[in-house]
Amino acid sequence: MSTDSYLLENRAPDAGTRFVALSALFDGVTMRHVDGIGARAGWRCWEVGAGGPGVPRLLAERIGPTGYVLATDLDVSWMGTDLPGNVEVRRHDVATDAPPEPGFDLVHARLVLVHVPQRDEALRRMVAALRPGGWLLIEDFDVNLQPLACLEARQEAEQRANRVRAGFRELLAQRGVDLAYGRTLPRRLRDAGLTDVAADAFEPVALPAAAALEIANVRQVAPALISQARASAEEVDAHLRAVAAGQLDIATPPLISARGRHP
Ligand SMILES: C[S@@+](CC[C@H](N)C(=O)[O-])C[C@H]1O[C@@H](n2cnc3c(N)ncnc32)[C@H](O)[C@@H]1O
């Protein structure tokens, strides 16, 4: 995938805010799975589509100075410069660039594959990078499982939030995002030959970081929403003001976390 087809590209100024919000929402979930898998000192980890420094830094803490974290992304400009010495940052397209040396104990991608048109090939490459007994952890939204911005839509502002979210979903689908990908993960991991497959879902219903994520996302896609008449400029402005004022309980889609082990 080129950076041009990625709707929420990292070059936009709101990308940094988005990575901070994603960390606040989901780093706890990710690390619960990493700990459940049994990550330990000395492990080699590949963090695919890292975005910001949050997960690479947490992985580096878990595996200690004798371990190694390779953090890759199409755009690494939000990774920062103060990462621990056992983290290597590399610009890399998971679907098309030569994969790194295999033998990883853990390969993880969160909210990446859903955006990658060649997601089957990307998944195949991640599985191939595992050592025998190594773990793959894939986390992705299932947007269609819970498509709303406001689960309870009694007021006009909540209904407007859901109309803006519907427009956002349509933009994502236009760019090739699979809106029902999350639910398919356990099957895909089994089909890839992995064992001990397990999955769960985490659903933010009204968390402050979900409001911050909403503002970053809607600001970034506002020009497309307006030019395609999916929302008016007035609606977008009113929605952003209502979210910023804390007037809405903003939900995200459920994050499905699925793990499996190379035999
Ligand atoms: C929604 S962000 C998620 C960032 C981070 N994984 C997280 O959960 O906070 C998606 C990230 O995937 C990256 N990405 C998209 N397509 C990619 C590809 N083909 N190869 C590598 N990274 C990709 C984007 O640049 C972006 O940083």
PDB file of all heavy atoms in Angstrom, residues 146-158:
ATOM      1  N   GLN A 146     -19.700  -2.837  15.636  1.00  0.00           N
ATOM      2  CA  GLN A 146     -20.247  -1.726  16.442  1.00  0.00           C
ATOM      3  C   GLN A 146     -19.927  -0.450  15.674  1.00  0.00           C
ATOM      4  O   GLN A 146     -18.868   0.139  15.844  1.00  0.00           O
ATOM      5  CB  GLN A 146     -19.608  -1.744  17.841  1.00  0.00           C
ATOM      6  CG  GLN A 146     -20.313  -0.878  18.869  1.00  0.00           C
ATOM      7  CD  GLN A 146     -20.387   0.583  18.488  1.00  0.00           C
ATOM      8  OE1 GLN A 146     -21.344   1.031  17.814  1.00  0.00           O
ATOM      9  NE2 GLN A 146     -19.420   1.351  18.912  1.00  0.00           N
ATOM     10  N   PRO A 147     -20.863  -0.017  14.803  1.00  0.00           N
ATOM     11  CA  PRO A 147     -20.540   1.078  13.883  1.00  0.00           C
ATOM     12  C   PRO A 147     -20.775   2.488  14.430  1.00  0.00           C
ATOM     13  O   PRO A 147     -20.480   3.466  13.750  1.00  0.00           O
ATOM     14  CB  PRO A 147     -21.493   0.815  12.706  1.00  0.00           C
ATOM     15  CG  PRO A 147     -22.650   0.094  13.297  1.00  0.00           C
ATOM     16  CD  PRO A 147     -22.146  -0.673  14.483  1.00  0.00           C
ATOM     17  N   LEU A 148     -21.295   2.616  15.647  1.00  0.00           N
ATOM     18  CA  LEU A 148     -21.760   3.935  16.118  1.00  0.00           C
ATOM     19  C   LEU A 148     -20.677   4.724  16.848  1.00  0.00           C
ATOM     20  O   LEU A 148     -19.787   4.156  17.486  1.00  0.00           O
ATOM     21  CB  LEU A 148     -22.949   3.752  17.068  1.00  0.00           C
ATOM     22  CG  LEU A 148     -24.171   3.040  16.474  1.00  0.00           C
ATOM     23  CD1 LEU A 148     -25.227   2.814  17.549  1.00  0.00           C
ATOM     24  CD2 LEU A 148     -24.743   3.839  15.314  1.00  0.00           C
ATOM     25  N   ALA A 149     -20.801   6.061  16.790  1.00  0.00           N
ATOM     26  CA  ALA A 149     -19.965   6.941  17.621  1.00  0.00           C
ATOM     27  C   ALA A 149     -20.602   7.094  18.996  1.00  0.00           C
ATOM     28  O   ALA A 149     -19.906   7.183  20.008  1.00  0.00           O
ATOM     29  CB  ALA A 149     -19.812   8.301  16.956  1.00  0.00           C
ATOM     30  N   CYS A 150     -21.940   7.164  19.040  1.00  0.00           N
ATOM     31  CA  CYS A 150     -22.667   7.291  20.318  1.00  0.00           C
ATOM     32  C   CYS A 150     -23.642   6.116  20.412  1.00  0.00           C
ATOM     33  O   CYS A 150     -24.570   5.999  19.602  1.00  0.00           O
ATOM     34  CB  CYS A 150     -23.447   8.603  20.365  1.00  0.00           C
ATOM     35  SG  CYS A 150     -22.382  10.045  20.464  1.00  0.00           S
ATOM     36  N   LEU A 151     -23.436   5.268  21.402  1.00  0.00           N
ATOM     37  CA  LEU A 151     -24.272   4.062  21.496  1.00  0.00           C
ATOM     38  C   LEU A 151     -25.715   4.422  21.836  1.00  0.00           C
ATOM     39  O   LEU A 151     -26.644   3.750  21.396  1.00  0.00           O
ATOM     40  CB  LEU A 151     -23.700   3.120  22.552  1.00  0.00           C
ATOM     41  CG  LEU A 151     -22.303   2.569  22.283  1.00  0.00           C
ATOM     42  CD1 LEU A 151     -21.900   1.566  23.351  1.00  0.00           C
ATOM     43  CD2 LEU A 151     -22.216   1.932  20.909  1.00  0.00           C
ATOM     44  N   GLU A 152     -25.890   5.483  22.641  1.00  0.00           N
ATOM     45  CA  GLU A 152     -27.244   5.943  22.949  1.00  0.00           C
ATOM     46  C   GLU A 152     -27.446   7.273  22.235  1.00  0.00           C
ATOM     47  O   GLU A 152     -26.783   8.259  22.569  1.00  0.00           O
ATOM     48  CB  GLU A 152     -27.421   6.127  24.466  1.00  0.00           C
ATOM     49  CG  GLU A 152     -28.853   6.399  24.825  1.00  0.00           C
ATOM     50  CD  GLU A 152     -29.042   6.667  26.302  1.00  0.00           C
ATOM     51  OE1 GLU A 152     -28.145   7.275  26.916  1.00  0.00           O
ATOM     52  OE2 GLU A 152     -30.097   6.294  26.839  1.00  0.00           O
ATOM     53  N   ALA A 153     -28.325   7.297  21.243  1.00  0.00           N
ATOM     54  CA  ALA A 153     -28.476   8.496  20.409  1.00  0.00           C
ATOM     55  C   ALA A 153     -29.843   9.135  20.655  1.00  0.00           C
ATOM     56  O   ALA A 153     -30.745   9.048  19.831  1.00  0.00           O
ATOM     57  CB  ALA A 153     -28.279   8.127  18.953  1.00  0.00           C
ATOM     58  N   ARG A 154     -29.979   9.794  21.807  1.00  0.00           N
ATOM     59  CA  ARG A 154     -31.260  10.435  22.142  1.00  0.00           C
ATOM     60  C   ARG A 154     -31.328  11.858  21.607  1.00  0.00           C
ATOM     61  O   ARG A 154     -32.363  12.330  21.181  1.00  0.00           O
ATOM     62  CB  ARG A 154     -31.441  10.477  23.667  1.00  0.00           C
ATOM     63  CG  ARG A 154     -31.694   9.117  24.304  1.00  0.00           C
ATOM     64  CD  ARG A 154     -31.890   9.286  25.789  1.00  0.00           C
ATOM     65  NE  ARG A 154     -30.825  10.109  26.359  1.00  0.00           N
ATOM     66  CZ  ARG A 154     -30.931  10.813  27.467  1.00  0.00           C
ATOM     67  NH1 ARG A 154     -32.045  10.818  28.148  1.00  0.00           N
ATOM     68  NH2 ARG A 154     -29.906  11.516  27.916  1.00  0.00           N
ATOM     69  N   GLN A 155     -30.203  12.582  21.672  1.00  0.00           N
ATOM     70  CA  GLN A 155     -30.173  13.999  21.309  1.00  0.00           C
ATOM     71  C   GLN A 155     -29.664  14.171  19.880  1.00  0.00           C
ATOM     72  O   GLN A 155     -28.950  13.318  19.364  1.00  0.00           O
ATOM     73  CB  GLN A 155     -29.210  14.767  22.244  1.00  0.00           C
ATOM     74  CG  GLN A 155     -29.348  14.468  23.710  1.00  0.00           C
ATOM     75  CD  GLN A 155     -30.575  15.147  24.311  1.00  0.00           C
ATOM     76  OE1 GLN A 155     -31.140  16.055  23.692  1.00  0.00           O
ATOM     77  NE2 GLN A 155     -31.008  14.692  25.465  1.00  0.00           N
ATOM     78  N   GLU A 156     -29.971  15.350  19.302  1.00  0.00           N
ATOM     79  CA  GLU A 156     -29.498  15.659  17.941  1.00  0.00           C
ATOM     80  C   GLU A 156     -27.967  15.551  17.852  1.00  0.00           C
ATOM     81  O   GLU A 156     -27.417  15.045  16.870  1.00  0.00           O
ATOM     82  CB  GLU A 156     -30.004  17.060  17.540  1.00  0.00           C
ATOM     83  CG  GLU A 156     -29.309  17.708  16.354  1.00  0.00           C
ATOM     84  CD  GLU A 156     -29.306  16.872  15.061  1.00  0.00           C
ATOM     85  OE1 GLU A 156     -30.112  15.931  14.925  1.00  0.00           O
ATOM     86  OE2 GLU A 156     -28.436  17.148  14.199  1.00  0.00           O
ATOM     87  N   ALA A 157     -27.252  16.008  18.882  1.00  0.00           N
ATOM     88  CA  ALA A 157     -25.777  15.982  18.815  1.00  0.00           C
ATOM     89  C   ALA A 157     -25.268  14.542  18.710  1.00  0.00           C
ATOM     90  O   ALA A 157     -24.268  14.273  18.029  1.00  0.00           O
ATOM     91  CB  ALA A 157     -25.177  16.661  20.039  1.00  0.00           C
ATOM     92  N   GLU A 158     -25.970  13.617  19.379  1.00  0.00           N
ATOM     93  CA  GLU A 158     -25.551  12.207  19.314  1.00  0.00           C
ATOM     94  C   GLU A 158     -25.889  11.622  17.938  1.00  0.00           C
ATOM     95  O   GLU A 158     -25.103  10.856  17.354  1.00  0.00           O
ATOM     96  CB  GLU A 158     -26.248  11.412  20.421  1.00  0.00           C
ATOM     97  CG  GLU A 158     -25.783  11.838  21.822  1.00  0.00           C
ATOM     98  CD  GLU A 158     -26.781  11.500  22.917  1.00  0.00           C
ATOM     99  OE1 GLU A 158     -27.997  11.348  22.608  1.00  0.00           O
ATOM    100  OE2 GLU A 158     -26.345  11.403  24.079  1.00  0.00           O
TER     101      GLU A 158
END
